[in-house]
């Protein structure tokens, strides 16, 4: 039996006896950035180059995206809302905003989602001791800084293979190979 229960976190058995994972998930963190690239018609470009360029552009917009706010639920939301029908929105958009502001607002919206997840962990008594960031978003310094600043957490950015490497290590461990 798990010592912590929550209607908004996912509990699953873990690799070791009497251990479990208390997990959360957002629906659109990486997907929304890919959507934005496609929306701009940049999908035929090299992904690394496009995302690097957009990160540089987002850096031109100040924190707070000049008053533009994004609710990043463009494909429903899992934690903490558990609402597949939740929708996204841009608030405060006007003719003075450019794509740098929109992209920064999307990144900051995702960071707000991370903050909500971390606050949920804290409310149920499972405050994470370490935050490790993996994946494509870690190549974007604006995104990493937004998460750290908005969620008020220090992240340890994992270089290399990230989640796939961890999954492989756990699989090897479960088969006695490590």
């Amino acid at each position: 039996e798990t010592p912590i229960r929550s209607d908004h976190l996912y509990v699953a058995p873990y690799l070791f006896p009497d251990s479990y994972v208390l997990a959360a998930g957002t629906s659109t963190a990486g997907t929304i950035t890919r959507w934005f690239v496609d929306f701009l018609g940049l999908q035929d470009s090299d992904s690394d180059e496009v995302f690097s360029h957009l990160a540089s552009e987002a850096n031109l917009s100040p924190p707070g995206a000049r008053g533009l706010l994004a609710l990043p639920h463009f494909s429903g939301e899992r934690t903490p809302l558990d609402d597949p029908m939740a929708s996204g929105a841009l608030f405060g958009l006007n003719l003075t905003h450019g794509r740098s502001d929109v992209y920064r607002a999307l990144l900051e919206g995702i960071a707000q989602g991370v903050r909500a997840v971390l606050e949920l962990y804290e409310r149920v008594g499972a405050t994470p001791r370490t935050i490790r960031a993996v994946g494509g978003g870690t190549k974007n310094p604006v995104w990493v800084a937004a998460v750290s600043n908005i969620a008020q957490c220090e992240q340890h950015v994992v270089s290399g293979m990230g989640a796939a490497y961890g999954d492989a290590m756990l699989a090897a461990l479960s088969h006695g190979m490590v």
Side-chain angles (χ1 to χ4, degrees):
E1 182 173 321
T2 61
I4 295 175
R5 297 222 182 264
S6 170
D7 291 338
H8 302 290
L9 295 170
Y10 312 101
V11 180
Y14 192 55
L15 186 61
F16 307 104
D18 301 320
S19 66
Y20 65 95
V21 173
L22 188 61
T26 61
S27 295
T28 55
T31 308
I32 201 167
T33 59
R34 167 67 14 205
W35 167 83
F36 191 63
V37 165
D38 292 345
F39 181 78
L40 295 174
L42 303 174
Q43 67 271 22
D44 293 331
S45 303
D46 174 49
S47 286
D48 286 343
E49 182 181 315
V50 167
F51 287 109
S52 177
H53 180 73
L54 283 174
S56 295
E57 277 194 40
N59 201 38
L60 298 175
S61 178
R66 297 183 320 111
L68 183 59
L69 301 173
L71 186 61
H73 310 313
F74 284 37
S75 183
E77 186 55 284
R78 292 183 291 174
T79 308
L81 301 179
D82 279 331
D83 184 355
M85 302 308 290
S87 6
L90 291 170
F91 298 96
L93 184 64
N94 64 52
L95 296 176
T96 67
H97 290 111
R99 76 181 188 183
S100 61
D101 301 310
V102 174
Y103 194 58
R104 178 178 276 279
L106 291 171
L107 298 176
E108 290 178 352
I110 295 164
Q112 291 288 354
V114 171
R115 180 179 178 160
V117 167
L118 292 174
E119 287 172 350
L120 176 59
Y121 275 111
E122 193 172 313
R123 280 195 307 275
V124 301
T127 304
R129 290 177 290 204
T130 305
I131 306 296
R132 298 201 190 286
V134 299
T138 61
K139 296 177 186 175
N140 184 330
V142 175
W143 197 352
V144 171
V147 169
S148 290
N149 293 335
I150 291 170
Q152 299 175 347
C153 68
E154 179 185 349
Q155 298 177 82
H156 300 277
V157 176
V158 176
S159 61
M161 310 238 317
Y165 181 78
D167 292 343
M169 191 270 313
L170 289 173
L173 184 63
S174 73
H175 285 32
M177 299 169 74
V178 175

